[in-house]
Amino acid sequence: MKLYDTQQAPNPRRARMFMAEKGIDLDSIEVVQLDLAAGDNLGDDYRRRNPMGTVPTLELDDGLCLGDSMAISRYFEELHPEPPLLGRDARDRAVVEMWNRRMELNLLFPVAMAFRNITGHFKDRERCSAEFGEISFERATAMFDFMDRHLAEHSHVAGEAFTVADITAVCAVDFARVIKLRIGDERPNLARWHAAVSERPSARA
Amino acid sequence: MKLYDTQQAPNPRRARMFMAEKGIDLDSIEVVQLDLAAGDNLGDDYRRRNPMGTVPTLELDDGLCLGDSMAISRYFEELHPEPPLLGRDARDRAVVEMWNRRMELNLLFPVAMAFRNITGHFKDRERCSAEFGEISFERATAMFDFMDRHLAEHSHVAGEAFTVADITAVCAVDFARVIKLRIGDERPNLARWHAAVSERPSARA
């Protein structure tokens, strides 16, 4: 098993946190660090494993490549059902799916879109729009406010248990530093949740 | 059980197709049609069910609201495992997850972003960027080409079985009509796949 990884980006961190929560020792598997700035993920060799060129990719011993953080997470949830991070029963799994997707589509994506379109880090590899970067920044900020209200009534994102939705959310909130969006004193519920999730050993994975 | 639905948008169609494939008769459940142009999905009443204001939402008899097409799909997969649309085992489920997400993130989203930022349909409800609309159109077009190459080697998106990845993809390809992006004669593999998937009774749901 081989994990194609990079330390700088939020999606690989999602996969590493998930694996750490499942008790998988990352020191026990081969980890290949890619340098995104150098375009390691855009060459033919990597694209044979992952045609989208995204990171992370998990390569299984038989050659199957899972080139998506949630595909990797779901694979390990199936192999190691405890502790459940994707829900315990039909209803719970649907609720976790809903909240994980809200965290991805409404929080992580606006943060990532602001980063890619404002900072210039991606200007050598894709057409950027500073205007859409600004729009994305506004949306991410609004979602920080939504999260603060939501977490006033729930200990975790998908309810009262720690789930993959918390992993996606904390990776998004931490990555938001690159666009200078921070929790601040005005979002005490988001701050309380963030401190609690950040104390988990998996947060350092 | 109540489904908040709209006929015009791709995400509600994803949920309806999934339910139809599971043998759920939509005539047997209460369906509430929302008029997105009139803002039916943005009022307080709907936002109490789905704070994101997205469509569809499935409201269960006990009041739980699943406000996301994939959350609804996962719920019905758990209740009605056959035929499996999210994969048959750990490995297969990871592969289906990966391809469904590729179809969503790299195909449906660029199409939707082009629609929202170019056509003006959303200008009264969100800040739009024509520039990002153009970028999104280019990305959707490139993904149509990728799909044609991919489907030269596979009968379906995630391999040889019909799965949720085909549902997401066909909803995206059909919705691309609104941005005047079509399969055309130059993408024969995509056309062959599209014809086959469109013949399924669920495609009319």
Side-chain angles (χ1 to χ4, degrees):
Chain A
M1 203 159 63
K2 199 186 284 192
L3 181 68
Y4 293 84
D5 184 29
T6 187
Q7 290 295 318
Q8 304 116 346
N11 275 307
R13 187 177 174 221
R14 287 168 78 184
R16 290 196 308 273
M17 268 191 80
F18 195 98
M19 292 165 76
E21 289 281 344
K22 288 293 179 182
I24 295 156
D25 182 358
L26 280 163
D27 292 335
S28 73
I29 68 172
E30 189 180 351
V31 178
V32 181
Q33 287 295 332
L34 301 182
D35 183 343
L36 300 197
D40 286 354
N41 58 318
L42 301 178
D44 288 344
D45 188 56
Y46 189 67
R47 288 219 191 244
R48 268 191 295 277
R49 294 178 169 87
N50 182 339
M52 302 295 123
T54 57
V55 186
T57 295
L58 182 74
E59 184 173 3
L60 304 185
D61 291 340
D62 64 5
L64 178 68
C65 288
L66 300 175
D68 176 83
S69 59
M70 277 306 300
I72 294 169
S73 299
R74 197 164 296 283
Y75 180 68
F76 285 115
E77 181 89 352
E78 296 276 344
L79 293 189
H80 307 283
E82 294 294 331
L85 298 176
L86 297 177
R88 291 185 176 274
D89 57 24
R91 186 188 160 97
D92 194 29
R93 278 194 269 273
V95 169
V96 172
E97 174 86 316
M98 172 174 72
W99 279 106
N100 187 51
R101 285 169 55 83
R102 286 175 174 170
M103 292 305 100
E104 176 165 286
L105 307 182
N106 299 95
L107 184 63
L108 177 56
F109 276 23
V111 169
M113 287 295 105
F115 170 68
R116 289 165 73 144
N117 287 287
I118 290 175
T119 65
H121 278 86
F122 275 65
K123 70 177 183 216
D124 62 338
R125 59 191 64 197
E126 66 184 22
R127 191 176 157 196
C128 297
S129 164
E131 181 182 38
F132 191 70
E134 283 169 26
I135 294 170
S136 299
F137 185 88
E138 289 169 7
R139 288 179 188 161
T141 304
M143 199 61 185
F144 266 46
D145 292 333
F146 171 85
M147 292 285 289
D148 188 61
R149 295 191 298 274
H150 178 69
L151 290 164
E153 294 174 19
H154 306 279
S155 69
H156 290 83
V157 172
E160 305 318 313
F162 177 87
T163 69
V164 71
D166 297 289
I167 294 178
T168 301
V170 75
C171 291
V173 167
D174 287 342
F175 192 63
R177 286 184 204 133
V178 298
I179 55 166
K180 299 188 171 56
L181 174 58
R182 291 185 169 80
I183 296 172
D185 294 336
E186 70 278 23
R187 300 184 184 101
N189 306 298
L190 183 57
R192 182 262 310 150
W193 163 86
H194 183 263
V197 172
S198 301
E199 271 175 20
R200 300 176 77 91
S202 66
R204 296 190 300 274
Chain B
M1 203 159 63
K2 198 185 284 192
L3 181 69
Y4 292 85
D5 184 28
T6 186
Q7 290 295 319
Q8 306 115 345
N11 275 307
R13 186 175 175 222
R14 287 168 78 185
R16 291 195 308 272
M17 268 191 81
F18 196 98
M19 292 165 76
E21 289 282 343
K22 289 292 180 182
I24 295 157
D25 182 358
L26 281 162
D27 292 334
S28 72
I29 67 173
E30 189 179 351
V31 177
V32 181
Q33 287 295 333
L34 300 182
D35 183 344
L36 300 198
D40 286 354
N41 59 318
L42 300 177
D44 288 345
D45 188 56
Y46 189 68
R47 287 217 191 247
R48 269 191 294 275
R49 294 177 169 87
N50 183 340
M52 302 294 123
T54 56
V55 187
T57 295
L58 182 73
E59 184 173 2
L60 305 186
D61 290 340
D62 64 4
L64 178 69
C65 288
L66 299 175
D68 175 84
S69 59
M70 276 306 300
I72 293 168
S73 299
R74 197 164 295 284
Y75 180 69
F76 285 115
E77 181 87 353
E78 296 277 343
L79 293 189
H80 306 284
E82 294 294 331
L85 298 177
L86 298 176
R88 289 185 178 274
D89 56 25
R91 187 189 159 94
D92 194 29
R93 277 193 270 272
V95 169
V96 172
E97 174 85 316
M98 173 174 72
W99 279 106
N100 186 51
R101 286 169 55 83
R102 285 176 174 168
M103 292 305 101
E104 175 164 285
L105 306 182
N106 299 95
L107 184 63
L108 178 56
F109 276 23
V111 169
M113 287 295 106
F115 169 69
R116 289 166 73 144
N117 286 286
I118 289 175
T119 65
H121 278 85
F122 274 66
K123 69 177 183 219
D124 63 338
R125 60 190 62 197
E126 66 184 25
R127 191 176 156 196
C128 297
S129 164
E131 181 182 38
F132 191 71
E134 284 169 23
I135 294 170
S136 299
F137 184 89
E138 289 170 8
R139 288 181 188 159
T141 304
M143 198 63 186
F144 266 47
D145 292 333
F146 172 85
M147 292 284 290
D148 188 61
R149 295 191 298 274
H150 177 69
L151 290 164
E153 295 174 18
H154 306 279
S155 69
H156 290 83
V157 173
E160 305 318 312
F162 177 87
T163 68
V164 70
D166 297 290
I167 293 178
T168 301
V170 75
C171 291
V173 167
D174 287 342
F175 192 63
R177 285 183 206 133
V178 298
I179 57 166
K180 299 186 171 56
L181 174 59
R182 290 185 169 80
I183 295 172
D185 294 336
E186 70 278 23
R187 300 185 184 101
N189 306 299
L190 183 57
R192 182 261 310 149
W193 163 86
H194 183 264
V197 172
S198 300
E199 272 174 20
R200 301 177 77 91
S202 66
R204 295 190 301 273

